[in-house]
């Protein structure tokens, strides 16, 4: 595995009704849901390191420590950027920041573990 701190990722989306707090059940308003933001952050981290992993390997999220500081309406673009800041054997720690068209909406840290997918699934 050739992972070193500094690997960066970027994902973006346009907020749709399916991404709202009202739809997720995490709130009552039609704005970008915190669980949707966290999912985008996880996806950004995962996609950033996949090219560096051996065949048959992936990562699983194990810890999320983020703040969601601003509401984003339906129709607005959200961009998430990640940076791998720590590699400890199979443990990966990322810094994540999400922004909409107006400014920052969330930030924090996300931790993932590298897994052999077949072995991981066999243990379930």
């Amino acid at each position: 595995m050739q992972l070193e701190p500094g690997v960066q990722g970027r994902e973006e989306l346009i907020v749709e009704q399916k991404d709202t707090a009202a739809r997720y059940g995490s709130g009552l308003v039609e704005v970008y849901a915190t669980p949707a933001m966290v999912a985008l952050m996880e996806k950004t981290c995962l996609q950033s390191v996949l090219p560096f992993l051996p065949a048959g390997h992936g990562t699983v999220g194990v810890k999320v420590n983020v703040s969601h500081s601003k509401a984003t309406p339906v129709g607005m673009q959200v961009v998430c950027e990640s940076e791998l800041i720590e590699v400890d054997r199979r443990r990966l720690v990322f810094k994540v920041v999400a922004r909409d068209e107006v400014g920052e909406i969330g930030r924090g840290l996300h931790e993932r573990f590298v897994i052999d997918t077949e072995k991981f699934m066999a243990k379930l």
Side-chain angles (χ1 to χ4, degrees):
M1 190 170 65
Q2 300 295 332
L3 275 172
E4 297 288 331
V7 172
Q8 296 183 347
R10 178 185 165 94
E11 296 287 331
E12 56 188 66
L13 58 74
I14 302 296
V15 177
E16 299 178 26
Q17 289 294 327
K18 67 178 180 61
D19 304 315
T20 65
R23 186 66 58 92
Y24 265 81
S26 64
L28 301 176
V29 291
E30 298 288 334
V31 296
Y32 193 46
T34 301
M37 183 187 75
V38 170
L40 180 62
M41 289 173 164
E42 289 203 61
K43 178 182 179 184
T44 304
C45 296
L46 168 64
Q47 294 298 322
S48 74
V49 297
L50 276 179
F52 301 95
L53 300 179
H57 286 69
T59 66
V60 292
V62 296
K63 188 183 290 187
V64 178
N65 184 7
V66 299
S67 63
H68 189 177
S69 55
K70 183 184 162 299
T72 302
V74 171
M76 194 172 278
Q77 181 183 48
V78 173
V79 174
C80 181
E81 296 176 327
S82 67
E83 181 181 356
L84 181 60
I85 60 171
E86 184 181 343
V87 178
D88 180 12
R89 294 178 296 232
R90 296 184 308 119
R91 187 175 69 89
L92 311 175
V93 180
F94 299 85
K95 177 174 64 173
V96 289
V97 178
R99 295 178 179 85
D100 65 18
E101 297 167 33
V102 178
E104 185 175 302
I105 63 168
R107 72 169 40 243
L109 297 175
H110 176 46
E111 194 171 307
R112 301 184 72 79
F113 268 84
V114 176
I115 60 161
D116 178 313
T117 306
E118 189 174 307
K119 288 180 182 177
F120 180 85
M121 294 304 292
K123 293 178 182 178
L124 299 181

